[in-house]
Structures are given as structure tokens and as C-alpha cells.
Amino acid sequence: MSDIKVATKNPRQKIKINISRSLLLLCASLCLSVFVHSARAAEPIVVLTTFSEEPMGALFEEFKQLNPDIPIQVVYRRTGPALKWVQQSSINPVDMIISSSPTFFHDLDNEGLIVAPLEQYEMPAWLTVHDLTKSNKTIALGYSGITIMYNQRYLEKNNLPIPHTWKDLAAAQFSGHIMMSTPNNSGTTHMMVEGVLQQKGWQQGWALLREVGGNLASVSARSFGVSESISRGLVGAGVVIDSYAIDAKNKFPFTDFNYLPNTVILPTYISVTPRGRNKANVAKLIQYFLSNNGQTLISSSAIAKHSLTDASLAQSSHPVINEDLLFNRATIINALFDQVITYQLPKLQLAWKLIHQAEATNNISPDEQNIIKQARQLASAVPINETESLQLQHQFIRQANEYKHATEIEQIMYQWRKESESQLDQAISLMNSLASQKR
């Protein structure tokens, strides 16, 4: 049998093959590097905001045009869900946060979820007196005030005067003609409610809020829902942040607004997160917001904030908010508002309608005046006093983080709701009895 010879490759051929393999590996490595770099370059700035979509879209548009290579992803959430979103930043990465709620940033700061930006920016001295965060981890973008927005056509059709104060909104003639949002869903509404409580005091403040509550046609889930309803003619007036009122007036000339006396000033804050992946681009975006072009856009676009070059409103309003009270009872205020106003709306409306009708009757005897006074007190009171609100805050925060104690919080709120309901039932019963006697 003849030997079988296996042919071997030429050494030169081996060298050529090795060189070709090396070139292929090099090309593959370069391609992968370019791909990874492109992916990183295309990674968006993730901005979380508690504002609505329309004004925020206008705020970012020019920056996108000037920086087409820097994509921006905006996440819109109410303050409560927004806090949970940042708490889950390992799942939901966030680079920048924009909001006008100081309690939101206070909670973020306490949990170590925000950090000082790469570059420090000094807030104008005239605005620092209204800054409730008192932190180097927040930057002021602009500021707003609180207004009563109204629909002129609606008011004229229903023979209603233009309201200027909370007391005006509590008048009998506005029954069913106004709207507001709940502080549990809106950081700006929480500031409005806190402003009333600090200016009027706990007892008188809640009495005013519950009387206004009796005139509400409904409670909006979002603050911008109030301005939309007024613009559409569903209600005549409501308390809103001025940026919504200004934007509505630009679109619908038959809407207008008045600033509340000594309005609470609300800076719009920016902050950055420790897990942010786009620190350089975030710094660039902040620089743009604070530039002349950015500040002009902020005051003239749909976002309609007062720029940092316009001190007029801030200097005309005296600060009234005690930040210690604000932060130390925020959770309780939000929960209490829902239990005594939001969830009691039908009975609250009826109770105050009957009280106002009784007060408007002629020839009221002293005994009848006492009955009306008693009904008013029942419809005005809340289940806890100011001292108890501060004590309960710590219990709510502690137990909210422990699932096994969640039922205790629910039980407390249930007791508030039942007590408030019982008081309204008594007020309604008193007024019905009085009305039957007058017939």
C-alpha cells in the first residue's frame, strides 16, 4: 500500500492568514468601540418633573435645537409618585429634577437622593427670603406666585363678582362655581393650603378651607386640571399657580387672574441626583436655563415663570411661610385635607349650602343664630389640633416605612373621616330642623 502524504501549508501562507486574522480582530474591536461610544453619546439626559407636559416641552425645545447631539427624556409625575420614582433610581435612572415643591426637595435631601451640582449658582438675594429648601443642592430656575384665576364669560353669565381672596371664594354665591386640586397630589396646592393655615392660624385656617370646600364643584387630581376647567367654562374660578393662569390668558383672552394678597412665592428648583450618568450635559443644560436666552424663554414661553431678573412680584410679597411647620406636618396636612374635604365633598356642599341659606334669611332670632353658629362650628372643625398634627407626622412617616404598621395609619385616617362625616351630619340635621321650623 502506498503511503498517503498530507500536504502542509507554506509558511508564507501562515503569515498572511495570521495578519488577516489580526486585521479582522482589530476592525471588530474598533467597530465595537465606536458602537459603545455612540451608545454612550446618545444616552439621554433624564429629567423628572412635577410640572405638566405642555410648558416643560417649550422649555427644552430651544436647547434641543442648539444641542441636537444631546437627547432629553422628560418624565412627568405628581410629587408623590415622583418621590417613589427617584427612590427607585437603580431601576429608573434620573439625572435632573425640576419642581416648585420645597417639601419634595426636602424629602429628597433627607434621603440622600440629591447632591450639589458641579457648579454652584448664587440665588438672587431678593429671592433667598422665599427659599424654603435652604440647601446648596437646589438651584432656582425662576419663581411663581399664587393666583385666583377666573373665566370672565362664566362670571358674567352667572352674575358673579370677580374674586380676589380666599374669603371671596367662600361666599355663598360661589357655591358650585369653583374648583381646586388636592394637596396630596400637588405640591403647589400643598403650599397654598399651608399658606392659609399659617396666615389664618390652624382653627380659622381650616374653617376657611372647609367653607371654600363647600363651594367646590369638584376636586381636581392635578393642579393644571383647575386652569383647564376654568378655561373650558366648567367652573368660574379657582386657585392656581400663576404660570397656568398666564398661559391660559395668552390662549383664552376671556380668562384672567388676580394674585392673592401676600401670595406665597414659589421658586422653581433644579437639582441633580448622585446616580446621574450625564453630569457634563446636565451642567450644560443648567447653564442654558440660567443664561440670558434661557431666562427670556422661561418668562415668555408657556412655562410663564418670573425670571431671575424680575424681582417685582417677589419683593411685593412678604414671606409668611415657617419652613419648620411646613416640613414637620406636610404628610398630616395632605392626609387631613382628603379626609375632611375631598372625601366629604357631597355632605360638605350640602352643609354649607344650608348654612348660607339660613344666614341669608330675615328676622333671625337669637336662638336661631345660636343654632346656625353651632352648625357652622361643626362644619368648620377638623378632628385634630395643631399640636397633634406635629406629633402625628413622625408616627406617619415612621409607620409608612413599615408595612406591618400601615393599617394603624389607615385606622387613624378612617377615624378622621368618620368624625368629620358625623359633624357634617349634625350640621345638616340642625339646618334642616331650623328650616322646618321657619316654614
Side-chain angles (χ1 to χ4, degrees):
M1 180 182 292
S2 61
D3 294 331
I4 298 174
K5 294 183 179 180
V6 179
T8 59
K9 292 182 180 178
N10 190 303
R12 290 182 179 179
Q13 290 178 317
K14 288 183 179 181
I15 293 172
K16 288 181 180 180
I17 291 171
N18 289 336
I19 291 173
S20 299
R21 287 175 178 172
S22 297
L23 287 172
L24 284 171
L25 288 172
L26 179 61
C27 289
S29 177
L30 288 171
C31 288
L32 181 61
S33 176
V34 170
F35 175 77
V36 170
H37 176 76
S38 299
R40 286 176 179 169
E43 198 168 75
I45 299 175
V46 180
V47 180
L48 175 66
T49 181
T50 59
F51 293 115
S52 58
E53 186 169 353
E54 186 175 350
M56 294 307 296
L59 183 62
F60 293 113
E61 194 57 41
E62 185 175 310
F63 179 82
K64 290 179 181 179
Q65 293 176 3
L66 295 173
N67 302 273
D69 59 328
I70 304 178
I72 298 176
Q73 176 188 344
V74 186
V75 179
Y76 301 94
R77 292 290 185 277
R78 298 191 301 269
T79 48
L83 178 59
K84 292 179 181 178
W85 187 277
V86 185
Q87 288 169 336
Q88 299 173 347
S89 57
S90 58
I91 304 171
N92 308 311
V94 175
D95 296 296
M96 176 189 288
I97 302 166
I98 303 178
S99 176
S100 59
S101 171
T103 54
F104 177 43
F105 284 102
H106 179 75
D107 292 340
L108 290 171
D109 196 4
N110 281 346
E111 295 189 29
L113 296 173
I114 55 175
V115 294
L118 292 178
E119 185 175 346
Q120 289 295 305
Y121 298 90
E122 189 172 342
M123 188 180 295
W126 49 264
L127 190 56
T128 56
V129 294
H130 300 285
D131 174 26
L132 298 175
T133 65
K134 301 290 190 291
S135 171
N136 67 341
K137 299 173 186 176
T138 56
I139 301 169
L141 168 68
Y143 72 96
S144 297
I146 298 173
T147 74
I148 296 180
M149 177 182 164
Y150 57 90
N151 184 313
Q152 293 176 346
R153 293 176 181 173
Y154 185 103
L155 297 185
E156 291 169 3
K157 180 180 177 181
N158 291 276
N159 297 315
L160 293 170
I162 294 173
H164 294 82
T165 65
W166 283 98
K167 188 175 180 180
D168 290 343
L169 295 178
Q173 59 194 331
F174 277 98
S175 177
H177 295 299
I178 64 174
M179 182 183 286
M180 70 180 292
S181 57
T182 167
N184 209 22
N185 287 340
S186 166
T188 53
T189 303
H190 173 241
M191 290 297 297
M192 298 172 191
V193 170
E194 185 64 55
V196 171
L197 296 176
Q198 292 201 22
Q199 289 184 43
K200 302 291 185 182
W202 182 266
Q203 187 173 343
Q204 292 184 8
W206 276 114
L208 177 58
L209 289 169
R210 293 201 80 190
E211 190 167 4
V212 169
N215 283 346
L216 295 174
S218 64
V219 177
S220 174
R222 293 293 301 269
S223 54
F224 70 84
V226 178
S227 59
E228 285 183 349
S229 295
I230 296 169
S231 298
R232 293 169 60 191
L234 300 179
V235 291
V239 183
V240 300
I241 193 169
D242 62 0
S243 51
Y244 290 144
I246 294 168
D247 182 43
K249 186 177 180 179
N250 289 337
K251 295 175 181 176
F252 310 106
F254 52 84
T255 67
D256 209 339
F257 62 92
N258 296 307
Y259 282 101
L260 284 169
N262 271 334
T263 174
V264 174
I265 297 299
L266 302 173
T268 299
Y269 298 106
I270 307 172
S271 194
V272 297
T273 64
R275 293 187 177 182
R277 302 166 300 178
N278 287 289
K279 290 182 172 57
N281 285 340
V282 166
K284 192 171 184 179
L285 181 57
I286 293 174
Q287 289 171 1
Y288 165 74
F289 285 154
L290 300 179
S291 70
N292 291 334
N293 286 345
Q295 287 292 295
T296 299
L297 179 67
I298 285 165
S299 60
S300 63
S301 71
I303 197 168
K305 299 290 181 186
H306 295 267
S307 73
L308 298 179
T309 60
D310 176 15
S312 56
L313 179 63
Q315 290 181 332
S316 68
S317 182
H318 303 290
V320 295
I321 295 295
N322 178 318
E323 59 262 30
D324 289 334
L325 277 178
L326 170 70
F327 297 139
N328 289 329
R329 66 186 188 189
T331 303
I332 300 302
I333 297 298
N334 293 345
L336 188 57
F337 185 96
D338 279 343
Q339 304 308 317
V340 303
I341 294 178
T342 307
Y343 302 149
Q344 305 291 343
L345 200 56
K347 288 189 177 183
L348 199 63
Q349 292 166 333
L350 178 57
W352 281 107
K353 184 176 182 179
L354 294 173
I355 291 169
H356 289 153
Q357 287 175 350
E359 290 175 335
T361 58
N362 296 321
N363 302 319
I364 304 174
S365 69
D367 287 343
E368 290 170 342
Q369 288 177 348
N370 286 334
I371 292 173
I372 295 172
K373 181 180 178 181
Q374 185 180 352
R376 177 174 273 277
Q377 289 173 341
L378 286 166
S380 300
V382 293
I384 59 173
N385 59 39
E386 187 167 22
T387 301
E388 290 171 328
S389 73
L390 296 170
Q391 294 169 345
L392 283 168
Q393 170 87 358
H394 302 292
Q395 180 182 349
F396 267 52
I397 292 175
R398 184 182 73 254
Q399 293 183 353
N401 296 325
E402 302 175 22
Y403 180 77
K404 61 181 180 180
H405 294 301
T407 53
E408 294 181 26
I409 297 175
E410 291 295 330
Q411 184 63 32
I412 291 171
M413 291 192 293
Y414 175 76
Q415 290 172 355
W416 292 348
R417 187 162 65 250
K418 295 305 290 184
E419 184 174 339
S420 178
E421 184 179 346
S422 175
Q423 290 174 335
L424 290 172
D425 284 338
Q426 293 176 60
I428 292 168
S429 179
L430 285 171
M431 291 298 91
N432 283 334
S433 297
L434 183 61
S436 64
Q437 294 172 16
K438 300 285 285 186
R439 293 193 187 104

